[in-house]
Amino acid sequence: MTWSILLAIALVLSIAGRKLASQDQVYALAVYCTSTLTALWGLAIAPGSASLTVALLALGWVQLQPRV
């Protein structure tokens, strides 16, 4: 269950990084790095089914993005 908390923290930090990106690049970069490390840590301790679910959701999200 700890993995879901870590992934949620990573999502919140990622959103905060997007808000900071328009103001100051240094803080946004630090927040993005922290959220990436938190997400990797959360996925490392997650059970296999949770990792597969997150991967499938990410693949579905990529498929729904408009083509440029």
Side-chain angles (χ1 to χ4, degrees):
M1 195 58 156
T2 306
W3 59 270
S4 60
I5 295 170
L6 290 172
L7 290 177
I9 291 171
L11 181 64
V12 168
L13 288 174
S14 181
I15 292 169
R18 285 187 185 255
K19 298 293 181 187
L20 287 174
S22 61
Q23 296 173 1
D24 193 6
Q25 294 295 325
V26 174
Y27 294 123
L29 184 60
V31 171
Y32 282 140
C33 290
T34 304
S35 65
T36 302
L37 290 175
T38 305
L40 289 175
W41 187 20
L43 287 173
I45 63 174
S49 60
S51 297
L52 182 62
T53 303
V54 169
L56 290 174
L57 287 173
L59 181 62
W61 178 71
V62 167
Q63 292 296 322
L64 290 176
Q65 294 299 315
R67 308 239 185 235
V68 177

